[in-house]
Amino acid sequence: MFHLYYKTAASKQISDVAKSFDFCEALDISKIDKVKYADVYLVEIQKIEKTLLLRIKKLLNNKKNSLIYFFIDESPNLALFQLAFILSVKNIFTPKSETSKVISEIKADIFLKKTTAQNEQREHTSVDFIKNRIYFIEVLKEKLLKKPLSTGTCSIITLNIENMSTLSKFWSEYEIEMAIGDLLLQIKLDIDERTLLAQYSDKFYIALFEGLDFEATKQKANAIQKHILAYTSKEKIKPIVSLHVFDVNDFELNDALKIISDIAKEKISSKDIETQKIHRVINLDSELDDEKVIDILLQTTFTNKTPIKLLNIYKGLCINNPSMIIKKTQEEIYVSFEQLQGTVMNFEKKTVIQSASFTKDIEADVKLIDLKKRVALLKNFRFVDGSAISRKNSRVTSSQRTPISVVNNKGSLSGEILDISMHSIAIKTRTSKQAQELNSTDVELKFTLPIRSSEDGYMKLKLDAKVILVKCSEKYCKLVVELKETQSHESILMEYVYDRQKEIISELKKQNIMRN
């Protein structure tokens, strides 16, 4: 256990808490650049300042498996809550927090963490039959080298967990791992002892069969898919698995691995399936049209009282809060919402529904909304192509037009900022050959931001970045650039984003007051 403080350790509360444990080392974070791993970190924050929060973030960003607690002397603000979210802080204590209850809570968390780790270790022993990627490649190489001397056949079934990113929004890493482990145990029931089952990547598994031709392997894959659907329909956590069958007998090792990689990255097209010995197993749900699938998903979510989230993007700010389906009719649903969410939904007349059990997010129109009762009636449901929010960091639009220059070794172009976060910027510029060729290139950005803490009220920035998206229409191109991490801009952008978020939230609250 470590007690982290900045220059002066003045918290009697932490001192009293530390005495209840066998060992607690105090460290002045103004004098260190890194901190050793510990099960528990007690972080003393006497004054909430950007420089201190950034320092804490740097020291603890890779300690998310530890138990982290903040002890603060003043009222928390948005920047502190953002840092607490990033670091997965267990709790924030104030001087009003009763010391005995603080000690009890920390002890309970430590006990739960140890118990979970022990259970996880026990559970891992049940999936020891899962081999790793290197082992699989070595076995496949041996099989393909012996192929000219053998009349036997070998084939592959791949299993891709399609909704892994969605599951992670609603369940812990441990819960997901256990659910997938249980699912793999079910799949093992459909394969014999000679079949090799391996984890090829984080969400991608592969089974190597011997003695089955292409048609027999397709039948095996269909049986596995039916078993998966029957099993997951009864489970709380529902991994959605897509299966491909691949006849590797006529391929060299490198070619086979290339196709497997393409399947894992979901780069296999219908043309590939027609020309190669590849077969995608039809998920029974995919035989239904979108309208019917959405109706089944919403009905299941309502019946099981599964929590959902509503998502709206307002001036770049992500409003993403818990909700429940409280009533369902044949074509509509009633949902609960939180205050800010309702204000934005009333303004935009639409929202996006998210759930761990959905293959895709679902967009809906707002038919009626009651801001006092916090209930909305939604209709016209449709799947959202891709992720409804593809950039994961909090971002905001500018309060006024903000020009920006994008410079690389081929020249420069001018545009304006669409939205900005601490890690990325979206830019609008006129369509040109130069803009269309910028994807995946390094660029330099030059722009000016209003910064209240600076003497002049604004600050000129020159930042290095990489273009990660270029999307052009006839007249304009949208560029998304990812800022390089080794720069001193973070505190400036944190201040700007934080101030702009406050402005947007204040604007929403004013709209809500006016409507009430």
Side-chain angles (χ1 to χ4, degrees), residues 255-412:
D255 294 333
L257 294 178
K258 172 66 168 58
I259 291 173
I260 291 169
S261 177
D262 286 344
I263 295 173
K265 296 174 183 176
E266 300 180 7
K267 289 184 177 179
I268 292 294
S269 65
S270 56
K271 183 179 179 182
D272 293 322
I273 290 175
E274 291 169 3
T275 57
Q276 310 287 0
K277 287 192 174 181
I278 303 169
H279 171 74
R280 181 180 178 119
V281 179
I282 298 175
N283 187 322
L284 296 181
D285 290 344
S286 67
E287 296 179 354
L288 306 171
D289 60 37
D290 283 358
E291 183 178 347
K292 184 61 178 176
V293 172
I294 290 173
D295 184 64
I296 292 171
L297 289 171
L298 293 176
Q299 182 62 55
T300 304
T301 302
F302 170 65
T303 303
N304 296 338
K305 294 182 171 55
T306 305
I308 59 173
K309 283 190 172 183
L310 300 178
L311 169 68
N312 291 83
I313 309 293
Y314 181 76
K315 296 189 176 181
L317 184 64
C318 175
I319 313 294
N320 192 200
N321 291 309
S323 174
M324 291 289 290
I325 300 176
I326 54 180
K327 183 180 178 182
K328 184 181 183 302
T329 65
Q330 189 171 352
E331 296 180 348
E332 300 166 337
I333 62 172
Y334 291 84
V335 296
S336 60
F337 58 78
E338 296 189 7
Q339 189 178 58
L340 287 181
Q341 196 88 47
T343 303
V344 179
M345 287 166 62
N346 191 41
F347 180 77
E348 295 189 332
K349 301 303 179 187
K350 64 181 180 180
T351 190
V352 172
I353 309 166
Q354 297 180 315
S355 170
S357 60
F358 294 173
T359 52
K360 297 179 182 179
D361 293 342
I362 298 171
E363 190 176 42
D365 294 332
V366 177
K367 181 178 179 180
L368 295 170
I369 190 165
D370 189 325
L371 293 173
K372 290 184 178 180
K373 293 182 179 180
R374 298 190 182 182
V375 174
L377 178 60
L378 307 182
K379 64 174 185 176
N380 298 338
F381 306 100
R382 60 266 182 195
F383 282 124
V384 177
D385 291 328
S387 172
I389 177 166
S390 56
R391 287 164 61 201
K392 58 189 175 183
N393 301 109
S394 296
R395 59 190 195 269
V396 292
T397 56
S398 304
S399 57
Q400 57 192 26
R401 184 178 179 276
T402 305
I404 185 170
S405 296
V406 182
V407 183
N408 70 353
N409 54 11
K410 294 184 179 180
S412 65

Side-chain angles (χ1 to χ4, degrees), residues 401-514:
R401 184 178 179 276
T402 305
I404 185 170
S405 296
V406 182
V407 183
N408 70 353
N409 54 11
K410 294 184 179 180
S412 65
L413 54 85
S414 299
E416 60 182 85
I417 292 176
L418 292 174
D419 61 62
I420 185 169
S421 78
M422 290 170 56
H423 302 286
S424 64
I425 301 176
I427 301 164
K428 177 183 176 182
T429 185
R430 288 191 178 276
T431 297
S432 65
K433 184 180 178 182
Q434 183 185 356
Q436 293 170 336
E437 295 175 348
L438 280 176
N439 200 21
S440 300
T441 62
D442 292 329
V443 295
E444 183 183 75
L445 309 175
K446 299 177 181 179
F447 59 102
T448 301
L449 286 179
I451 302 295
R452 288 193 297 179
S453 62
S454 65
E455 292 182 4
D456 300 320
Y458 65 88
M459 191 168 290
K460 294 182 178 180
L461 297 173
K462 185 187 292 186
L463 306 178
D464 295 324
K466 183 176 183 177
V467 180
I468 59 173
L469 174 70
V470 177
K471 190 174 182 180
C472 296
S473 63
E474 187 176 341
K475 290 185 177 181
Y476 297 104
C477 282
K478 176 184 178 181
L479 314 178
V480 177
V481 300
E482 190 175 66
L483 304 177
K484 300 291 180 68
E485 292 185 356
T486 56
Q487 301 181 77
S488 59
H489 66 271
E490 198 169 42
S491 62
I492 299 169
L493 293 183
M494 177 183 274
E495 179 178 344
Y496 177 79
V497 172
Y498 173 53
D499 287 342
R500 185 69 185 120
Q501 284 176 332
K502 287 199 298 183
E503 291 173 3
I504 294 171
I505 291 171
S506 176
E507 178 182 327
L508 287 172
K509 287 181 177 178
K510 286 179 181 177
Q511 290 183 18
N512 190 62
I513 292 170
M514 289 173 65

